[in-house]
Amino acid sequence: SIPWQGGFAGIGYNKQAYREVTGKDAPGSVADLWAAELKGRVGLLSEMRDTIGLVLMAQGIDITSADSLTEDAFMAALDVIKEQIDAGQIYNVRGNSYLDDLATGNIIASTAWSGDITVINYEAGTDDEPEPFGFIFPDSGATLWADVFVTPMGATHKKNAETLINYYYDPANAAELALWVNYITPVVGAQEAAAALDPELAENQLIFPNADTLAQSQAFRTLTGAEEQRFASAWQNLLLGA
């Protein structure tokens, strides 16, 4: 396996609606999602590692560490989310379709993926308001994730898969892809190639993050097989009851 694209999970929000409802320009923390003014207008990603990860980080848990991200810590974060769901704070818990709720106004703020907010701004932006939606790292940090290319063991067309992977690892192709999907490319040299295509986007920290930006994020640690089963089961049980 080898990285394909990466990204951050943080908080996405409707700038005008958030300002009108809360009197603030933008959320600053995960706790801001639990504000009374947003009751019933908050969305959460159904991706366990991102939503639980953000709540854990807000509680001071280092999600990269097995000593810090224990089963007790995970279940405590789960309880926080359950409390908000039970209280009616959460409109729903969804995958990529949370963008529909942001666009229609069903929700004002949500845990969100970085590239998605760029896309929804492209679709909904106007000359008067080119970026109606915002994306922030909570003050406790964002989660960092990666999707990967994987060639299964025993693949009968392994060379074909490797040829495709090599194509996307060419810096020129990687740059074009990154500027289209607005997510992080792992390819060395892609930022320089992107600068020739779109100098502004080539400096976008959500697509080509520097060391300072990456330092504000954490990747959810690798779970053991037993932990994966217990954590995923507890998360799915919560979603089924939501």
Side-chain angles (χ1 to χ4, degrees):
S1 67
I2 194 168
W4 152 249
Q5 296 286 296
F8 301 107
I11 298 175
Y13 63 101
N14 181 311
K15 293 179 181 178
Q16 180 178 343
Y18 190 85
R19 191 179 302 114
E20 290 174 351
V21 169
T22 68
K24 301 176 182 178
D25 287 335
S29 67
V30 171
D32 286 341
L33 294 176
W34 318 144
E37 297 90 343
L38 295 178
K39 185 172 183 178
R41 309 288 298 279
V42 175
L44 294 179
L45 292 170
S46 57
E47 211 317 299
M48 178 187 80
R49 284 166 173 78
D50 288 325
T51 291
I52 293 284
L54 288 169
V55 173
L56 283 164
M57 291 171 69
Q59 296 176 327
I61 301 299
D62 178 357
I63 64 172
T64 70
S65 166
D67 292 332
S68 187
L69 200 180
T70 62
E71 184 166 351
D72 285 345
F74 180 91
M75 295 305 174
L78 202 69
D79 287 342
V80 169
I81 295 172
K82 183 178 188 305
E83 180 181 347
Q84 297 302 327
I85 291 174
D86 291 346
Q89 186 74 12
I90 310 302
Y91 178 75
N92 59 24
V93 185
R94 304 181 73 174
N96 291 85
S97 53
Y98 75 95
L99 288 177
D100 296 334
D101 291 324
L102 269 175
T104 59
N106 288 332
I107 61 175
I108 293 174
S110 178
T111 53
W113 288 308
S114 50
D116 286 350
I117 301 304
T118 303
V119 170
I120 195 174
N121 276 329
Y122 177 79
E123 295 173 347
T126 64
D127 290 340
D128 293 334
E129 182 53 83
E131 295 185 351
F133 299 94
F135 178 84
I136 62 105
F137 283 19
D139 55 11
S140 48
T143 60
L144 175 66
W145 52 266
D147 289 337
V148 298
F149 286 115
V150 178
T151 305
M153 216 175 187
T156 54
H157 297 287
K158 183 169 178 282
K159 188 65 178 177
N160 290 354
E162 291 172 344
T163 300
L164 178 67
I165 293 169
N166 286 341
Y167 174 85
Y168 282 113
Y169 261 72
D170 178 278
N173 297 330
E176 188 173 353
L177 175 65
L179 295 177
W180 178 255
V181 300
N182 298 289
Y183 282 108
I184 303 167
T185 175
V187 178
V188 175
Q191 184 172 17
E192 290 76 10
L197 300 172
D198 191 323
E200 184 178 351
L201 278 182
E203 295 301 320
N204 187 323
Q205 287 298 298
L206 299 181
I207 305 175
F208 298 101
N210 59 27
D212 289 339
T213 299
L214 289 171
Q216 300 173 54
S217 67
Q218 294 181 10
F220 202 99
R221 73 170 175 85
T222 301
L223 301 176
T224 66
E227 286 174 330
E228 182 71 44
Q229 186 174 21
R230 290 195 299 271
F231 289 14
S233 178
W235 177 240
Q236 288 304 314
N237 287 339
L238 175 65
L239 298 187
L240 289 173

